[in-house]
Amino acid sequence: MAAPETTAAPQAGGTTAQETIDQAGEAMVEFHNVSKIYPGQAAVENLTLSVATGKITVFVGPSGCGKTTSLRMINRMVEPTSGTITVGGRSVATIPAHELRRSMGYVMQQAGLLPHRTVLDNVSTVLRLNKVPRAQARKRSLELLETVGLPASMARRYPNQLSGGQQQRVGVARALAADPPVLLMDEPFSAVDPVVRAELQAELLRLQRELAKTIIFVTHDIDEATLLGDRVAVFATGGRVAQYAPPEEILRAPVDDFVANFVGRDRGFRHLSFSPGGDVPLHPAPTVLPGDAPGGENSTHDAGAAAASRWMLAVDADRRPLGWHAPGASAAGGSTELVPGGSLFHEGDSLRNALDAALSSPSGLGVAVDGAGRVAGVVHAAEVLAAIDAAREGRH
Ligand SMILES: Nc1ncnc2c1ncn2[C@@H]1O[C@H](COP(=O)(O)OP(=O)(O)OP(=O)(O)O)[C@@H](O)[C@H]1O
C-alpha cells in the first residue's frame, strides 16, 4: 500500500501522524483530521489516527467521548463533517455506503439479529446478498457457527432461543460471513455477564490468532481494552485522543492525569500482565499424596514433625494439585481436611499471575503447574517482587 498522505501535526503523546503510522506498521484504516460536529457540540474533533492491518485496535474512553461516532464514520453510518477516512488507501467517501457496509463486518452490543430468522439464516444473510448460492452459503454458515464455538444444532433456533452470549457469538459469525478484512465491533460483549464476557474475549483472541483481521473494537472498559488491544486509543471528551499506544505503555506510562485516572488505581498491578514470569525461581513443592499424611513416607519434604509443622501440598497420583494441608495436620491425628488452593501459575504466564498465585495461596507459596496441570514447583511472593524490580531496572 502506498504511504498515505499525512499531516505532520503532533498527535497526543508527542508523536506526529507519520510516526504513528510507522509505529503501527502498514495501515488499513486512517483518519485524517476527521471531525463530526453536531449543533452546539463536537462529537469528534480533528481525529488523526492510523489503524494497523491485521491487528486489534481498541477505542476506549468514558461515555460520550466520540468512540462510536468515530467507528461509525468508517463504514459511513455517520458522515464526517470534515476530514478524510481511508480504508485500504481509498477514501470511504468515494465508495457507495451500502457497498462499504457489506465489505466490513459489524458487531454491536445487542447482537442485532433478525428475530424472525433462524440462526443459520442470520449468518447467511450477507452471503446471500453477495449472491453466494444457497447451498454454499448454508455450508459456510455452519462452518462459521463452529468457528465461533456454537454447535450445528443451534442453527435452526431463533435468536430468542439463545442466551445473550450465544447471540453475540452468532453476531460475530455473521460479521465474519463475507470474510471481510475489517471488523468493526461496538461494545460487543458489554451486555453479557462477566464470566461469559471473559469467555467471549478469550474466544476473540483465539479467532484473531487464526484470522488476523483488522479489528476496531469500542469499549468503555479499560481492562477489556488492555486485554484485547494490540494498540489502544484512549479518547477524552470531545473526540480527542489523549493517548494512542500499546496497552503495556498506557498502563506503565499514561501520558497525562486524564489517562492515569481513566486507567485506574490498579494499573501497576495490571501492568504486570505484560511482564513474562519466566525469571521467577521455582522451588521444589512440598507435596504429599492422597491417603498419606504430611510427613508420611510419600512426602517429598522433611520427615515427620518438620513436615507436620508446615503447609504441605496434596497432589494426586499424576502430581496435580488438590489443596493444602494446614500446619498441624499429621499422621498423628491432626485434621486431614484440605484447604483449597489459590490461583495457579502456568508455565509461560506473566508476573501478575505469579504474584497472584503466591498472594492467593493459603500457604503463601504460589503453585506453578506445567502444560498438563502437574505441579512444577512453587514460587514465593518476595521472589516475584524481586523479579518485578529486576524487570523494571531492565526497562530503565
Ligand atoms: N445524532 C446525534 N446528534 C447529536 N449529538 C450526538 C449524536 N450522536 C452522538 N452525539 C453526541 O456526540 C457525543 C459522542 O457520542 P458517541 O456515541 O460517539 O460517544 P461514545 O464515546 O461512543 O459514548 P458511549 O460509550 O456512551 O457509547 C456525545 O456527546 C453524544 O451525545
Side-chain angles (χ1 to χ4, degrees):
M1 192 189 309
E5 215 179 282
T6 58
T7 63
Q11 288 273 91
T15 46
T16 63
Q18 188 57 58
E19 281 166 352
T20 305
I21 289 163
D22 292 342
Q23 286 162 15
E26 196 176 5
M28 172 66 85
V29 179
E30 296 185 80
F31 293 80
H32 301 283
N33 289 316
V34 174
S35 296
K36 177 67 186 178
I37 315 290
Y38 289 110
Q41 184 189 12
V44 176
E45 202 162 8
N46 277 330
L47 181 64
T48 296
L49 180 136
S50 280
V51 169
T53 305
K55 303 284 184 199
I56 302 182
T57 298
V58 179
F59 293 174
V60 69
S63 189
C65 62
K67 309 179 294 290
T68 295
T69 303
S70 300
L71 188 80
R72 290 184 174 187
M73 287 192 287
I74 299 171
N75 68 359
R76 296 188 59 190
M77 286 168 78
V78 173
E79 295 290 354
T81 310
S82 59
T84 310
I85 298 173
T86 59
V87 174
R90 260 178 95 188
S91 165
V92 295
T94 65
I95 307 170
H98 67 275
E99 195 183 300
L100 193 66
R101 273 172 228 159
R102 222 179 277 170
S103 72
M104 290 182 198
Y106 187 74
V107 188
M108 53 193 167
Q109 190 173 338
Q110 309 288 352
L113 304 177
L114 301 167
H116 304 300
R117 294 211 177 165
T118 63
V119 163
L120 191 77
D121 287 345
N122 266 283
V123 178
S124 313
T125 305
V126 176
L127 294 171
R128 297 290 291 139
L129 285 171
N130 286 344
K131 311 264 187 290
V132 175
R134 186 179 297 275
Q136 203 180 322
R138 188 186 148 79
K139 182 166 174 284
R140 174 86 188 115
S141 300
L142 285 169
E143 284 167 9
L144 281 161
L145 289 177
E146 194 188 337
T147 304
V148 299
L150 288 175
S153 59
M154 293 207 172
R156 287 171 183 276
R157 292 199 195 172
Y158 289 89
N160 69 0
Q161 296 171 317
L162 301 180
S163 71
Q166 289 163 344
Q167 289 184 32
Q168 287 308 115
R169 286 174 192 264
V170 177
V172 173
R174 183 182 56 178
L176 290 172
D179 198 20
V182 177
L183 211 53
L184 308 179
M185 305 185 84
D186 192 356
E187 305 219 24
F189 307 148
S190 59
V192 294
D193 70 62
V195 173
V196 174
R197 185 173 190 165
E199 282 171 18
L200 292 172
Q201 289 166 341
E203 197 76 6
L204 180 66
L205 288 173
R206 182 188 64 74
L207 266 180
Q208 175 65 353
R209 278 195 289 275
E210 285 169 26
L211 304 176
K213 300 285 181 194
T214 301
I215 298 179
I216 304 166
F217 190 106
V218 166
T219 179
H220 54 258
D221 178 348
I222 187 68
D223 282 326
E224 185 164 71
T226 55
L227 175 72
L228 298 180
D230 292 300
R231 247 178 132 73
V232 174
V234 183
F235 279 64
T237 316
R240 179 182 70 83
V241 173
Q243 188 166 7
Y244 186 35
E248 183 274 333
E249 193 177 321
I250 285 179
L251 291 172
R252 176 172 49 78
V255 78
D256 58 19
D257 286 350
F258 170 80
V259 178
N261 285 332
F262 183 73
V263 165
R265 291 176 61 177
D266 299 334
R267 72 180 165 86
F269 184 57
R270 284 190 269 131
H271 176 253
L272 295 177
S273 303
F274 297 93
S275 304
D279 289 343
V280 179
L282 286 191
H283 299 279
T287 57
V288 57
L289 284 166
D292 199 8
E297 59 178 302
N298 288 320
S299 287
T300 55
H301 259 54
D302 316 329
S309 67
R310 55 183 290 177
W311 286 92
M312 297 290 289
L313 180 65
V315 293
D316 69 12
D318 291 325
R319 290 189 54 76
R320 293 198 180 83
L322 299 171
W324 289 91
H325 287 286
S330 75
S335 165
T336 51
E337 289 242 330
L338 291 181
V339 181
S343 63
L344 297 174
F345 172 49
H346 293 80
E347 279 172 344
D349 268 356
S350 65
L351 285 175
R352 175 175 172 165
N353 289 353
L355 188 58
D356 193 66
L359 296 180
S360 65
S361 169
S363 66
L365 299 172
V367 177
V369 292
D370 65 15
R374 294 179 297 244
V375 175
V378 288
V379 296
H380 296 274
E383 289 178 337
V384 181
L385 291 171
I388 292 167
D389 271 343
R392 187 174 45 232
E393 273 159 27
R395 271 201 310 270
H396 291 297

